[in-house]
Amino acid sequence: MSAPHLHLILNHIPILGTVFGFLILLIGLFKRSRDIKNTGLLLFVLAALVAIPVIMSGEESIEIVRELPGVTHDHIHQHEEVAEVSFIAMEVLGGLALLAMLLSLRAKGTPHWMIMLCFALSMPVIGSMAYTADLGGQIRHIEIRPDFGKELLSTPKTSKM
């Protein structure tokens, strides 16, 4: 399995893990359930762990993907820059979630502010990860690029006879 193949397989897990972690944590907050909140936090931790091979396989993929037709340095560079920020944010969220889970083992449990901090941080992480995924998709999927179709509209059509 090549690095780009591994990257494409794994890159969805941190995104979906964070979204589902957010939703489950939200349910846990409404139900005031320590177990449900810990499940949401666990998904953040797992998403952060899977983000490590995602970023590593992404770095390895650059050498292969940049030689493909239609791939530009600008698209790769933009995706890479945003991915680094998203990765750091994901790791911070995962670390805080792990700490919150460990604190939940105490008799007093996890401080509510820490759960709320994880919850609040998960929202921009989801946004950042979604933006990173969109930029990554634009590397090979020209149809989702913002400028798609502009060159088609400005080029006169020739009819085939």
Side-chain angles (χ1 to χ4, degrees):
M1 181 179 300
S2 68
H5 190 185
L6 181 63
H7 187 70
L8 290 171
I9 289 170
L10 293 179
N11 69 19
H12 298 86
I13 296 170
I15 299 165
L16 294 173
T18 308
V19 169
F20 287 120
F22 168 83
L23 294 172
I24 291 170
L25 187 56
L26 180 63
I27 292 167
L29 287 167
F30 276 114
K31 291 191 173 228
R32 297 181 180 188
S33 167
R34 178 187 283 191
D35 290 340
I36 295 174
K37 288 186 274 190
N38 277 342
T39 302
L41 294 170
L42 177 62
L43 285 173
F44 293 153
V45 172
L46 294 174
L49 289 173
V50 175
I52 296 167
V54 169
I55 198 94
M56 291 171 65
S57 62
E59 287 292 329
E60 293 177 35
S61 298
I62 292 171
E63 299 302 318
I64 298 167
V65 173
R66 73 176 176 188
E67 302 300 325
L68 297 174
V71 173
T72 68
H73 171 76
D74 289 343
H75 285 108
I76 291 173
H77 181 71
Q78 191 175 16
H79 173 63
E80 184 180 23
E81 292 297 312
V82 174
E84 289 173 6
V85 173
S86 294
F87 175 73
I88 292 167
M90 182 75 253
E91 296 308 303
V92 169
L93 175 59
L96 285 172
L98 179 60
L99 180 59
M101 288 177 60
L102 292 173
L103 289 174
S104 76
L105 299 174
R106 301 179 315 159
K108 294 191 316 187
T110 306
H112 185 68
W113 66 266
M114 185 172 254
I115 300 287
M116 294 308 295
L117 179 62
C118 289
F119 181 75
L121 182 57
S122 69
M123 289 183 264
V125 170
I126 290 169
S128 179
M129 298 289 277
Y131 184 52
T132 301
D134 182 60
L135 292 174
Q138 290 180 37
I139 292 172
R140 288 287 291 156
H141 294 281
I142 63 167
E143 71 276 9
I144 65 171
R145 292 180 185 170
D147 60 350
F148 178 71
K150 289 181 183 173
E151 65 278 351
L152 296 176
L153 296 174
S154 63
T155 308
K157 293 183 180 181
T158 57
S159 62
K160 295 182 179 180
M161 293 187 174

